[in-house]
């Protein structure tokens, strides 16, 4: 029996050596970075900043591919079907943690079929209204919504996305009712808000801020527990009459489960190095986002904690078993 164990040990050692050698050479060809949302939003911006720098660092093109739809699940499923070799990355965020909570009958599992690589950043959303709406505070918005239930429309990037969850959570905590309208990404929803087709929005900070500064939208609050350094004069939803309200969008990269750990570690090290470069750090922080610093294991724990948090929100809001 002893020779068999020796052969097994040699096989394991040989496999580990081969994986290490593959990681050392990685990448040797074009890489694909799937963004399961429309171009121009915060997820897309984070991805393109990193893709550009990875291309420069490794001399291999990192091509960003936008595949929007189904709250990010169309593009995410494509990544889950890719080979487990590290050459296909995909952006992940709140939807990554909530998809199966909202649709338990999904035929794939984002958190099972894809594994965390690196956290790119995190940023709060903001609560805005169209100027035609006669409210100038969160408390006034709550009073208006209670007086005219279901008259207020707000855009979402799809069921289970951060905008959708923020709206449902707000309704639950304030005992109000509004109407969610789905768009293929955050940018079309913001366009609808500016046009007056929507009344209220839980939108990303950086993309929406120019519209509030131009008077096209009215900024009421930020959705994180702490005020944003980008707009420090703006109160949080929590301090404006909705205690405990906390919704923050985060942006990370994942790849197919089964990818050699050595390749995942190499990707993580290079991405974290890029995020700490002064130019990259400045670009990301201008979006109101704090660059990530987590290892793959730490990012994995973060994703698990997010899943548990949103499970509580979904349960509290009665926001489950949703059909896409």
């Amino acid at each position: 029996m002893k020779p068999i164990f020796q052969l097994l040990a040699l096989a394991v050692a040989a496999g580990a050596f081969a994986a290490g050698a593959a990681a050392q050479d990685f990448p040797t060809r074009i890489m694909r970075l799937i963004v399961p949302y429309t171009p121009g939003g915060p997820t897309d911006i984070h991805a393109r900043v990193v893709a550009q720098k990875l291309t420069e660092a490794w001399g291999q093109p990192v091509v960003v591919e936008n595949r929007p739809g189904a709250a990010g699940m169309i593009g995410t499923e494509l990544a889950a079907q890719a080979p487990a070799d590290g050459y296909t990355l995909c952006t992940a965020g709140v939807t990554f943690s909530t998809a199966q909570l909202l649709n338990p009958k999904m035929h794939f599992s984002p958190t099972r079929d894809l594994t965390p690589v690196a956290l790119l950043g995190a940023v709060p959303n903001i609560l805005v209204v169209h100027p035609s709406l006669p409210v100038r505070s969160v408390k006034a918005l709550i009073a208006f919504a209670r007086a005219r239930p279901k008259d207020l429309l707000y855009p979402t990037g799809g069921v289970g996305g951060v905008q959708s969850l923020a709206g449902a959570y707000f309704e639950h905590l304030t005992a109000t009712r509004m109407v969610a309208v789905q768009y293929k990404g955050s940018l079309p929803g913001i366009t609808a808000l500016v046009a007056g087709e929507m009344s209220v929005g839980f939108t990303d900070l950086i993309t929406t801020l120019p519209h509030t500064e131009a008077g096209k939208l009215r900024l009421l609050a930020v959705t994180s527990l702490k005020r944003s350094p980008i707009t420090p004069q703006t109160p949080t939803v929590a301090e404006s009459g909705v205690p405990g309200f906390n919704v923050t969008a985060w942006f990370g990269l994942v790849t197919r489960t089964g990818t050699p750990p050595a390749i995942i570690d190499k990707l993580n090290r290079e991405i974290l190095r890029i995020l700490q470069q002064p130019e990259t750090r400045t670009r990301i922080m201008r979006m109101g986002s704090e660059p990530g610093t987590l290892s793959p294991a730490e990012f994995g724990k973060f994703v698990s904690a997010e899943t548990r948090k949103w499970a509580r929100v979904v349960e509290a809001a009665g926001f489950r078993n949703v059909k896409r």
Side-chain angles (χ1 to χ4, degrees):
M1 294 296 291
K2 187 176 180 180
I4 294 177
F5 289 120
Q6 290 175 335
L7 287 172
L8 287 173
L10 287 172
V12 170
F17 178 81
Q24 187 174 4
D25 294 337
F26 178 89
T28 59
R29 54 184 170 83
I30 190 170
M31 296 179 64
R32 180 189 191 194
L33 200 170
I34 298 173
V35 178
Y37 301 100
T38 51
T43 304
D44 184 68
I45 294 171
H46 277 80
R48 290 180 185 277
V49 168
V50 171
Q52 176 189 342
K53 292 296 183 179
L54 282 175
T55 298
E56 294 172 1
W58 284 341
Q60 296 291 345
V62 180
V63 179
V64 176
E65 183 179 329
N66 294 90
R67 290 297 188 96
M73 287 303 102
I74 289 177
T76 302
E77 184 173 5
L78 284 175
Q81 296 170 345
D85 56 13
Y87 282 90
T88 299
L89 300 172
C90 182
T91 59
V94 172
T95 306
F96 185 80
S97 299
T98 62
Q100 281 197 293
L101 298 173
L102 297 167
N103 188 1
K105 295 183 179 180
M106 285 177 61
H107 56 276
F108 84 105
S109 168
T111 54
R112 181 195 66 212
D113 299 334
L114 293 157
T115 192
V117 174
L119 178 66
L120 304 182
V123 63
N125 278 17
I126 54 176
L127 172 55
V128 298
V129 295
H130 190 267
S132 62
L133 200 67
V135 301
R136 295 185 175 275
S137 68
V138 174
K139 289 184 178 179
L141 176 63
I142 294 170
F144 187 96
R146 287 175 179 169
R148 300 173 63 175
K150 297 189 177 181
D151 278 5
L152 297 179
L153 278 63
Y154 66 95
T156 78
V159 175
V162 66
Q163 297 168 330
S164 176
L165 288 167
Y169 195 34
F170 184 84
E171 291 178 85
H172 171 71
L173 292 180
T174 60
T176 57
R177 288 292 178 269
M178 299 186 291
V179 179
V181 180
Q182 292 188 42
Y183 290 85
K184 286 189 175 181
S186 61
L187 209 56
I190 293 172
T191 300
L193 265 169
V194 172
E197 297 169 8
M198 301 285 109
S199 310
V200 183
F202 296 87
T203 59
D204 69 87
L205 190 155
I206 296 302
T207 309
T208 312
L209 208 56
H211 298 299
T212 67
E213 292 172 344
K216 296 178 181 179
L217 294 173
R218 183 178 298 135
L219 175 58
L220 300 185
V222 296
T223 62
S224 52
L225 283 178
K226 295 182 179 180
R227 295 192 180 195
S228 169
I230 298 295
T231 175
Q233 75 282 4
T234 305
T236 66
V237 174
E239 70 181 279
S240 301
V242 191
F245 189 89
N246 179 26
V247 179
T248 302
W250 54 269
F251 314 98
L253 291 178
V254 295
T255 194
R256 178 69 185 270
T257 297
T259 297
I263 289 178
I264 291 175
D265 288 339
K266 184 172 184 178
L267 281 163
N268 178 270
R269 288 194 304 271
E270 186 60 29
I271 290 167
L272 294 191
R273 186 189 70 80
I274 287 169
L275 292 175
Q276 293 307 314
Q277 290 178 340
E279 178 189 354
T280 308
R281 186 173 179 82
T282 297
R283 288 179 67 183
I284 288 178
M285 293 188 74
R286 282 177 180 167
M287 294 188 286
S289 182
E290 181 66 28
T293 59
L294 303 181
S295 69
E298 291 168 337
F299 184 32
K301 291 179 180 178
F302 172 85
V303 172
S304 295
E306 278 287 289
T307 303
R308 291 192 297 271
K309 180 185 81 173
W310 285 115
R312 293 192 295 270
V313 172
V314 166
E315 182 67 30
F319 203 42
R320 58 166 65 249
N321 298 324
V322 178
K323 294 182 180 180
R324 288 187 169 85

